[in-house]
Amino acid sequence: MPTEAPPPPRDGTEGPTGPAGPGTEQFIEVQEGAEFGELRRTYRSFAFPLTLAFIAWYLLYVLLSNYAGGFMGTKVVGNINVALVLGLGQFATTFLIAWLYSRHAANRLDPQAEAIRKRMEGDA
């Protein structure tokens, strides 16, 4: 069933449902700006090192599991061995990284992104 309403304009003028959002040119301008570059640097300086560290930690676990069976089978307490402790450590590390990222995003990324959004939408 076709609609009677015309599509909203794409030139930044006000449409039938309210003001139109920022145009493509404004997005490109913001993306090339220093403020957005700082936001990307802030994100990358946190996410990339933590990602690389977690991948290295995971690969160490896999390599130890494949090539150091004697070590991984070493009993720690009762029937709990090194492999189980390191495996559970993988889960703990995952949750720790998620929590750290959530804090980092709330304290550093979200305020920067909100400032950019407000400037683009004309609120600031």
Side-chain angles (χ1 to χ4, degrees):
M1 175 177 204
T3 179
E4 300 286 325
R10 298 198 178 264
D11 60 359
T13 61
E14 190 163 317
T17 59
T24 304
E25 297 80 19
Q26 190 177 3
F27 278 107
I28 292 171
E29 178 184 323
V30 167
Q31 183 180 9
E32 293 172 349
E35 194 176 16
F36 190 75
E38 178 61 28
L39 175 63
R40 276 195 311 240
R41 265 188 303 284
T42 303
Y43 168 75
R44 289 176 180 169
S45 68
F46 181 86
F48 288 174
L50 217 53
T51 300
L52 291 175
F54 183 77
I55 289 172
W57 158 230
Y58 176 75
L59 290 176
L60 174 68
Y61 175 73
V62 170
L63 291 172
L64 287 173
S65 295
N66 282 322
Y67 300 109
F71 170 71
M72 295 295 272
T74 303
K75 302 273 185 189
V76 177
V77 175
N79 286 331
I80 298 173
N81 61 17
V82 172
L84 181 61
V85 171
L86 294 180
L88 292 174
Q90 293 286 316
F91 288 103
T93 305
T94 301
F95 288 111
L96 176 66
I97 289 172
W99 177 73
L100 287 172
Y101 178 76
S102 175
R103 275 189 36 189
H104 175 74
N107 294 332
R108 302 278 314 275
L109 301 177
D110 292 349
Q112 290 177 340
E114 184 67 16
I116 292 171
R117 183 195 65 80
K118 283 184 177 180
R119 189 169 48 82
M120 283 188 74
E121 291 178 351
D123 294 346

